[in-house]
Amino acid sequence: MIYIENLTKKYSDKTLALDDVSLGVERGEFVTIVGHSGAGKTTILKMITAEEIPSQGKVFFESTNVHDLRRGEIPKYRRKIGVVFQDNRLIPNKTAYENIAFAMEAAGRSDHEIVADVPEILKLVGLDNKLWNFPHELSGGERQRVSIARAVINQPELIIADEPTGNLDPINTFDVIGLFKKINEMGTTVILTTHNKGVVDLIGNRVVTVEKGKIIRDDKEGKYVL
Amino acid sequence: MNWINIKRVSKAGFISFWRNGMTSLSAVLVMFISLFIVTSLVLGSALSQSIIDMLKEKVDINVYFKTNVTEEDILALQEKISTLPEVKDVSYTSKEEALEGFKERHKDNSLILSSLDELKDNPLGAVLSIKAKEPSQYEGIAKFLEEDGVSISSDGSGIIDKVNFYQNKLVIDRLSKLIAATEKIGFSISLVFAIIAIIVTLNTMQLAIYTSREEISVMRLVGAGNWYIRGPFIVSGIMSGFLASLLVLIVFYPITIWVGSRTADFLAGINLFNYYTQNFFEIAIITMGVGILLGGISALLSVRRYLHI
Ligand SMILES: Nc1ncnc2c1ncn2[C@@H]1O[C@H](COP(=O)(O)OP(=O)(O)OP(=O)(O)O)[C@@H](O)[C@H]1O
Ligand SMILES: [Mg+2]
C-alpha cells in the first residue's frame, strides 16, 4: 500500500533527517515505528502525508507517486489518510462534535450523514457525554480520543499516528492503543510511532526501528530493542 | 463550490467571528478607523466640490455697453458670445432694466434718485452678463471681446463701454487656483489615507489569522480544500468590514449634526448634516462597499500566506 523507495531528506538547515530509507507497508498491516528522539520518525510520516518534500527518493500510495501530485489534488489524497498527533491538534475554537464534523464536511459528506455519524463515533470512543465541549474543556486522554475519532470518521484506508500516547498516563495509553487495534482489526492499515516499550509490547505487531535517519531493524513480531 | 459548501463556509465564518471575540473586535475597530477616514474624505471632497460649484456660480463678468448702442447690435453680440464653447450662459439686461435695478438698489437714497430724475436720458447702458464653465476661461472670453471686429456696431464704431473682467480678475484668479489646488491636494490626501487604511487593516487581519495558522495546518491535514479553509476567514473579514461600516454610518450622524451646526454660516448655507442625510444612500453604499471589500480582500490575502503546500 505504502512504498517508500530510497528516501533521503535534508532539511533546509542541512540536517540529514532521513538517509536512504526504504520501507513497504501492506494493506491491513499495523506497523509501529520506534526510535530515539530525532531519529526521523515524524519525518517519515510527513513524507507520507505530503507535508514535506523528499530531497531524493519516492513515496508511493498504491500506484500514486505522492510527491508528483499537483497542489489541487493533495486535499483529496489526504482524505484517504487519517492523522493523529501526540498533541492531538484539535481545532481549539471548535467543539468535539464540530472538530469531527469539520473533517466530514471537508470530505463532502452530507449534513444527514454528519448528524448521524458524529455522535456514534464519539460514543464508540466513550465520549458520548462530551459532544459540545471545547478541546480545552477535555482531558488529554479525551482529546486524544476525539482526534482518533476524527481520523477514522471518513473511513480512511490508512491511519497515521505520531506518538498518539506520548502525553497519556498508562490507563489512557492502554485504552487508546486498544482503539487503534480495533480500527486495525476492522481492516484499516495503521502506522504508529512511539518511544514507549510498553506500547510496543501492547501492540505486538511489526516493529520498524529507526536510528539516525536509517532503518536498522524490521521485526515481524513486536520487539523493542534500543 | 456548490450551495451546501457556501452554506457551511458562511456558517463557520459567522461562528468563528463570534467565538474569536477579542480578535474580531480589534479587526472591527481597526476597520472602523480606516472606514471613518475614507468616509470623511468622501464627504469632505463632495462638500468642497459643492462649495466650489457654489462659488463658481457667483462669479461672472459683465459687459457694459455705451448708451447709444442699439439693441440689435447687442443681441448680435450676445449671439456670437453664446456660441463660444467656454460660455455657459449669457444674459441680457436692457438699459431700462438696468435703470430699474439701479433705482431699486438705491431706493433709500433720495439724493441719487432725485438727481436721476433731473436727467432726461437714461444714463445707464445695457449689460451682458457672461458665465463661463470654468473660472479660468474668463480671461479668454475677455480677450475675445477685445478682438478686432467682434464688438463693432453696424456703422463700424465700438459699442463696449467697459468689461469688468479686470476688476474681477484677482478674485477669479484666486478662485481658479484654489479649485486646482483643492482638487490636487484632496486627491493626494485621499490616496495616502486610503493606502494607510489598507496597510493597517491588512496587518491586523494578518495578525488575527496568524494566531490561526496551527488550525489552518490541521485543516489541511484532514484534507480540507483550499476554499474550504479560506472561506470562513473571508466571511469573518467581510463581517468585520460590514459591522465597521455600520458603526461609521451611525457615528457620522452626531458628528455631522455637530460639525454642521458649527460651520453652516461659514459654508454659506450648506449644512453638513443635511448634506449627509440627503446623500445618505450613496454614502452608505460607498462605505459598506469599501468595508466589505477591505475586510474580504485583506482576509483573503492574509490567509493565502498560510495555505502553501
Ligand atoms: N522543519 C525542520 N527543519 C529542520 N530540521 C528539522 C525539521 N523537522 C525536523 N528536523 C530535524 O530532523 C531530525 C529528525 O526529526 P524528526 O522530527 O523526524 O524526529 P523524531 O524521530 O520524530 O523525533 P521525536 O521522537 O523527538 O519526535 C531532527 O534532527 C530534527 O531536528
Ligand atoms: Mg516526532
Side-chain angles (χ1 to χ4, degrees):
Chain A
M1 176 179 221
I2 297 286
Y3 309 100
I4 296 174
E5 294 175 1
N6 308 100
L7 195 63
T8 297
K9 174 65 183 178
K10 257 201 193 100
Y11 281 109
S12 48
D13 62 354
K14 306 270 184 302
T15 314
L16 185 63
L18 292 179
D19 185 5
D20 196 23
V21 167
S22 294
L23 177 69
V25 176
E26 293 309 320
R27 203 166 266 281
E29 269 196 286
F30 194 137
V31 179
T32 311
I33 300 177
V34 299
H36 290 302
S37 185
K41 305 181 292 294
T42 301
T43 305
I44 294 179
L45 300 185
K46 283 186 171 169
M47 291 293 166
I48 300 174
T49 55
E51 277 178 271
E52 293 285 355
I53 323 159
S55 311
Q56 264 162 48
K58 288 177 182 149
V59 177
F60 286 91
F61 187 102
E62 303 291 2
S63 56
T64 332
N65 183 334
V66 172
H67 298 98
D68 275 354
L69 288 173
R70 277 181 286 115
R71 262 226 236 164
E73 296 171 328
I74 287 179
K76 193 151 178 270
Y77 164 69
R78 284 183 177 149
R79 283 176 225 149
K80 297 185 190 174
I81 305 173
V83 278
V84 179
F85 305 92
Q86 172 174 0
D87 52 355
N88 67 69
R89 309 264 290 266
L90 295 174
I91 298 171
N93 58 10
K94 289 191 193 298
T95 62
Y97 181 98
E98 290 167 347
N99 262 281
I100 297 169
F102 180 80
M104 293 184 80
E105 287 178 359
R109 312 273 296 271
S110 74
D111 287 350
H112 182 76
E113 287 176 290
I114 293 173
V115 171
D117 290 3
V118 176
E120 191 164 333
I121 193 86
L122 281 171
K123 194 169 173 192
L124 206 76
V125 297
L127 289 174
D128 39 342
N129 56 340
K130 305 270 178 178
L131 260 57
W132 305 110
N133 287 59
F134 287 95
H136 68 90
E137 300 167 337
L138 298 171
S139 76
E142 287 167 340
R143 264 179 280 194
Q144 201 54 292
R145 280 184 273 159
V146 175
S147 93
I148 293 169
R150 178 179 68 186
V152 299
I153 191 71
N154 290 321
Q155 286 132 16
E157 299 167 44
L158 171 68
I159 296 275
I160 282 180
D162 194 9
E163 292 182 48
T165 59
N167 289 344
L168 304 182
D169 66 16
I171 293 174
N172 273 309
T173 299
F174 185 83
D175 286 348
V176 162
I177 293 301
L179 276 174
F180 280 113
K181 284 176 96 167
K182 206 153 52 173
I183 293 160
N184 178 244
E185 276 156 23
M186 294 192 292
T188 311
T189 314
V190 179
I191 302 176
L192 180 151
T193 70
T194 185
H195 3 235
N196 186 329
K197 183 174 180 341
V199 168
V200 177
D201 293 341
L202 212 53
I203 298 170
N205 264 314
R206 181 178 168 193
V207 177
V208 172
T209 309
V210 184
E211 199 170 278
K212 291 185 184 135
K214 281 180 182 294
I215 293 181
I216 55 161
R217 290 182 70 112
D218 190 343
D219 302 284
K220 281 280 158 272
E221 206 57 33
K223 227 186 275 170
Y224 187 90
V225 260
L226 270 180
Chain B
M1 184 138 272
N2 56 27
W3 178 240
I4 183 104
N5 283 341
I6 291 174
K7 200 191 85 188
R8 285 172 174 176
V9 160
S10 324
K11 191 177 157 200
F14 275 99
I15 292 178
S16 80
F17 178 86
W18 179 246
R19 287 194 186 148
N20 295 333
M22 279 320 281
T23 317
S24 307
L25 192 69
S26 64
V28 170
L29 277 180
V30 167
M31 289 225 266
F32 170 80
I33 294 167
S34 304
L35 288 174
F36 187 89
I37 292 168
V38 169
T39 307
S40 309
L41 291 171
V42 169
L43 211 55
S45 73
L47 198 68
S48 60
Q49 194 56 52
S50 53
I51 294 171
I52 285 170
D53 286 346
M54 196 184 66
L55 289 178
K56 276 184 190 170
E57 203 48 44
K58 292 211 162 129
V59 173
D60 58 6
I61 55 176
N62 292 335
V63 182
Y64 298 94
F65 292 92
K66 295 178 180 156
T67 47
N68 59 357
V69 176
T70 62
E71 192 156 71
E72 291 85 75
D73 284 336
I74 297 172
L75 292 178
L77 182 61
Q78 181 183 17
E79 204 45 49
K80 259 191 243 168
I81 293 171
S82 59
T83 58
L84 293 177
E86 307 90 304
V87 170
K88 196 166 121 198
D89 185 41
V90 192
S91 64
Y92 170 63
T93 312
S94 68
K95 291 170 69 153
E96 292 71 30
E97 285 163 346
L99 186 63
E100 283 303 307
F102 186 84
K103 281 183 177 164
E104 184 61 29
R105 278 200 298 281
H106 299 280
K107 62 175 187 277
D108 299 331
N109 193 329
S110 52
L111 186 67
I112 291 182
L113 291 182
S114 59
S115 53
L116 258 183
D117 285 340
E118 272 168 37
L119 291 168
K120 273 203 202 70
D121 292 329
N122 178 353
L124 295 175
V127 184
L128 280 181
S129 293
I130 306 172
K131 276 199 167 64
K133 288 180 181 134
E134 292 300 327
S136 55
Q137 292 163 337
Y138 284 111
E139 182 132 35
I141 295 171
K143 288 244 167 68
F144 170 79
L145 293 170
E146 284 169 5
E147 273 173 33
D148 286 346
V150 170
S151 43
I152 294 217
S153 72
S154 29
D155 61 19
S157 54
I159 56 174
I160 294 180
D161 182 24
K162 71 174 194 201
V163 178
N164 75 344
F165 169 71
Y166 298 97
Q167 283 108 297
N168 285 355
K169 192 176 183 329
L170 193 66
V171 177
I172 291 174
D173 279 351
R174 280 198 183 152
L175 185 60
S176 306
K177 276 192 194 129
L178 179 73
I179 291 168
T182 312
E183 277 164 2
K184 221 184 287 168
I185 293 171
F187 181 76
S188 324
I189 291 179
S190 310
L191 200 69
V192 167
F193 274 100
I195 290 171
I196 291 174
I198 290 170
I199 291 173
V200 171
T201 310
L202 202 65
N203 268 301
T204 312
M205 281 287 175
Q206 225 156 59
L207 209 64
I209 290 172
Y210 178 80
T211 58
S212 306
R213 70 200 186 289
E214 187 78 353
E215 188 177 326
I216 291 173
S217 79
V218 176
M219 288 173 167
R220 283 201 339 239
L221 272 178
V222 300
N226 279 351
W227 279 107
Y228 221 83
I229 300 172
R230 280 174 197 168
F233 288 101
I234 295 169
V235 171
S236 292
I238 288 175
M239 278 192 68
S240 307
F242 178 75
L243 283 182
S245 56
L246 267 187
L247 276 179
V248 167
L249 291 173
I250 293 170
V251 161
F252 262 97
Y253 260 89
I255 288 180
T256 49
I257 292 177
W258 190 78
V259 175
S261 67
R262 240 143 267 250
T263 53
D265 301 338
F266 160 73
L267 292 179
I270 299 176
N271 186 307
L272 193 61
F273 177 66
N274 294 341
Y275 187 87
Y276 183 63
T277 45
Q278 274 155 19
N279 298 286
F280 183 77
F281 195 66
E282 285 94 332
I283 295 170
I285 286 192
I286 292 173
T287 307
M288 295 218 167
V290 172
I292 286 170
L293 278 181
L294 196 63
I297 290 175
S298 36
L300 174 66
L301 290 180
S302 311
V303 80
R304 266 168 52 124
R305 291 193 51 195
Y306 302 106
L307 271 176
H308 295 310
I309 296 189

